[in-house]
Amino acid sequence: MSKAVKFGGSSVANSEQFKKVKQIILADPDRKYVVTSACGKSGQEDHKVTDLLYLCAAHITYDVSYESIFQSIVDKYMEIKRSLGLKIDLAGEFAKIRQNMAQNLNLDYLVSRGEYLTGLCLAEYLDADFVDASWVIRFHYDGSIDLDKSQELLKAQVDPGRRVVIPGFYVADPRIIKDPVQIPRITYSELRQMSYMGANVLHDDAVFPVRQKNIPINVCNTNHPENPGTMIMNDCSELDAQEPPHVITGITGKQDFTVITMVKSHVSAEAGFLRKVLAVFEKFQISIESVPVTVDTFSIVVQTKKIERYLYEIVAELKQDLHLDDIQVESQQAMLAVVGRAMRQMPGMSGKILSTLGDQQINIRTIKQACDEQSIVIGVNNQDLVPAIKAIYQQFISEERVER
């Protein structure tokens, strides 16, 4: 069996992290395919290589010297080379990058150099073959990945007996919850719902191919390789039967939404009203997050950054086309998502969550529960998002951990 392992930026931030990565890979001979991010931050005063490359691009665009920023990238990789005793010609690689930057700034090329350089260094350190993603990844005309062609090219590049390094890209937010409970397993469906609402761990495009083939993903910590981490699976029912999961798998949320509420008597009974509303937003190419409805009100929830440019035009068209009694606009709104496959077995879960928030004097603006009962999305004011996450975590996860 062959395993593909992906290391994020913090896992390859410096030479000491490279050593940990090597130990992890050598501990399992099945770990054949290694995908790496660009070097991340070594500490609070450090910077991600990708961020520095974006900054270089901005300096070039505005005709400002980028030398000091670029030199900090050079210094980081040169230190890794020196510490690990590598022979890679980094000076030559940086000379090529400088030449490309001087001739024609291609942003995609430039910001991908972090992954590229890290991959080259890691390949030599692991005595593995280096395969650039640009050599083997192909796309259809619609922008989707051509898996058949990509697989064909990858097989042509790979020696079956060798490891390969390819440059590539929890679950309450650990920046909000100190020492969050580790999730032993989560379904792809739960992960997708959490990712949509702000838990940016794995990109959909990276997950979709392995989900199609029913291949599980194991998310681990480079700094604690002995920890079993979190398994992401299509179906957790067999393992759940042996060890019941927490009622709530994870909590996440995003700020900065705008809620437009249209008031009109018996609007819920008016045929075609929703179509007319959606047509206005479609005209301005704005996607909608949620549509809460009551007997006399109809609300649209959208990301503020997507609507702020057209807000006055949209409000004017809604008033004119729909003959509203009133229209209200509220910004500074947040959407909080509570996700858990075990919630469907817990009667009254929505009420318990709302009661918990009420006890903390947190005002509920909107609420939506999915038909599969795996997620509950609650609208609160921006400033209430963090207190709401903490309150729900304390009530439903921390106390459950104590009971177990």
Side-chain angles (χ1 to χ4, degrees):
M1 177 177 65
S2 294
K3 296 178 182 177
V5 289
K6 165 67 167 65
F7 293 93
S10 60
S11 296
V12 289
N14 52 41
S15 58
E16 290 304 310
Q17 293 299 94
F18 268 64
K19 294 174 183 177
K20 294 177 184 178
V21 167
K22 185 172 185 176
Q23 291 176 342
I24 290 170
I25 293 170
L26 296 183
D28 186 345
D30 290 332
R31 291 169 178 159
K32 296 290 188 183
Y33 300 93
V34 181
V35 182
T36 181
S37 293
C39 294
K41 295 171 62 173
S42 296
Q44 288 297 323
E45 302 304 315
D46 197 12
H47 299 279
K48 298 177 182 178
V49 166
T50 301
D51 290 346
L52 294 175
L53 290 168
Y54 271 116
L55 199 54
C56 284
H59 279 60
I60 293 172
T61 300
Y62 293 101
D63 198 24
V64 179
S65 174
Y66 60 85
E67 282 301 323
S68 61
I69 302 170
F70 194 80
Q71 189 59 46
S72 66
I73 300 172
V74 174
D75 293 343
K76 179 183 279 283
Y77 283 101
M78 287 299 186
E79 174 58 24
I80 290 173
K81 174 182 175 178
R82 185 196 64 78
S83 298
L84 301 180
L86 305 179
K87 298 179 181 179
I88 180 175
D89 181 16
L90 284 178
E93 294 293 342
F94 280 114
K96 293 177 192 175
I97 296 171
R98 283 182 181 275
Q99 184 177 11
N100 278 286
M101 292 167 72
Q103 292 176 347
N104 180 29
L105 177 62
N106 183 312
L107 184 60
D108 291 336
Y109 164 83
L110 181 60
V111 298
S112 69
R113 294 307 86 188
E115 282 87 356
Y116 175 80
L117 293 168
T118 305
L120 287 175
C121 293
L122 190 57
E124 181 183 339
Y125 187 53
L126 296 174
D127 186 27
D129 292 334
F130 174 82
V131 176
D132 193 11
S134 65
W135 303 346
V136 297
I137 303 298
R138 294 294 180 267
F139 298 89
H140 296 295
Y141 288 113
D142 65 359
S144 61
I145 296 176
D146 186 337
L147 292 176
D148 293 334
K149 184 62 176 178
S150 298
Q151 183 179 33
E152 176 187 331
L153 292 171
L154 183 60
K155 284 183 176 180
Q157 290 282 348
V158 171
D159 181 340
R162 298 273 297 167
R163 282 193 175 90
V164 178
V165 174
I166 305 174
F169 80 64
Y170 217 79
V171 184
D173 192 330
R175 294 167 297 182
I176 296 176
I177 302 296
K178 184 178 180 181
D179 189 27
V181 175
Q182 180 174 310
I183 300 171
R185 56 194 176 275
I186 184 173
T187 65
Y188 281 115
S189 177
E190 290 173 299
L191 178 68
R192 182 172 172 79
Q193 293 177 69
M194 294 188 65
S195 296
Y196 181 73
M197 287 305 300
N200 300 315
V201 180
L202 295 172
H203 195 282
D204 276 353
D205 289 343
V207 171
F208 183 71
V210 291
R211 181 180 185 179
Q212 271 192 317
K213 301 293 185 181
N214 198 24
I215 299 172
I217 296 176
N218 190 193
V219 181
C220 297
N221 187 335
T222 300
N223 295 318
H224 300 283
E226 73 287 347
N227 191 301
T230 299
M231 292 299 299
I232 306 171
M233 310 165 69
N234 258 338
D235 184 4
C236 297
S237 57
E238 187 174 332
L239 293 174
D240 286 350
Q242 301 172 24
E243 180 188 7
H246 287 282
V247 174
I248 292 177
T249 300
I251 314 163
T252 187
K254 289 195 295 190
Q255 293 178 320
D256 297 325
F257 289 90
T258 293
V259 180
I260 300 176
T261 300
M262 291 152 276
V263 181
K264 188 176 183 181
S265 296
H266 304 292
V267 67
S268 60
E270 184 175 326
F273 190 87
L274 175 58
R275 176 184 54 78
K276 294 176 185 176
V277 171
L278 297 181
V280 173
F281 285 87
E282 183 181 5
K283 175 181 176 180
F284 290 91
Q285 296 295 298
I286 294 174
S287 58
I288 293 171
E289 302 290 330
S290 182
V291 187
V293 179
T294 68
V295 64
D296 292 327
T297 66
F298 200 101
S299 297
I300 296 291
V301 182
V302 297
Q303 292 186 39
T304 299
K305 64 182 180 181
K306 293 182 179 180
I307 197 174
E308 55 190 356
R309 180 180 175 185
Y310 309 106
L311 180 59
Y312 293 111
E313 293 95 325
I314 289 173
V315 169
E317 288 206 19
L318 290 172
K319 283 182 177 179
Q320 178 180 329
D321 296 349
L322 302 172
H323 310 292
L324 303 173
D325 297 334
D326 191 18
I327 187 166
Q328 302 161 6
V329 178
E330 293 179 284
S331 58
Q332 299 292 311
Q333 300 297 298
M335 303 298 287
L336 170 127
V338 181
V339 178
R341 61 189 179 279
M343 289 198 299
R344 69 183 72 176
Q345 278 86 42
M346 183 66 66
M349 192 64 188
S350 296
K352 293 174 183 177
I353 291 174
L354 297 182
S355 177
T356 297
L357 297 181
D359 290 343
Q360 298 299 315
Q361 303 299 305
I362 294 173
N363 189 28
I364 308 300
R365 311 310 303 265
T366 62
I367 181 168
K368 178 180 69 175
Q369 182 167 11
C371 294
D372 62 7
E373 300 182 82
Q374 284 198 60
S375 67
I376 300 170
V377 179
I378 300 167
V380 297
N381 294 321
N382 266 357
Q383 69 267 23
D384 288 332
L385 179 61
V386 171
I389 290 175
K390 288 181 177 180
I392 295 171
Y393 184 90
Q394 177 65 33
Q395 180 67 33
F396 294 97
I397 298 181
S398 289
E399 291 190 5
E400 187 177 353
R401 174 168 58 176
V402 172
E403 292 173 3
R404 291 190 178 194

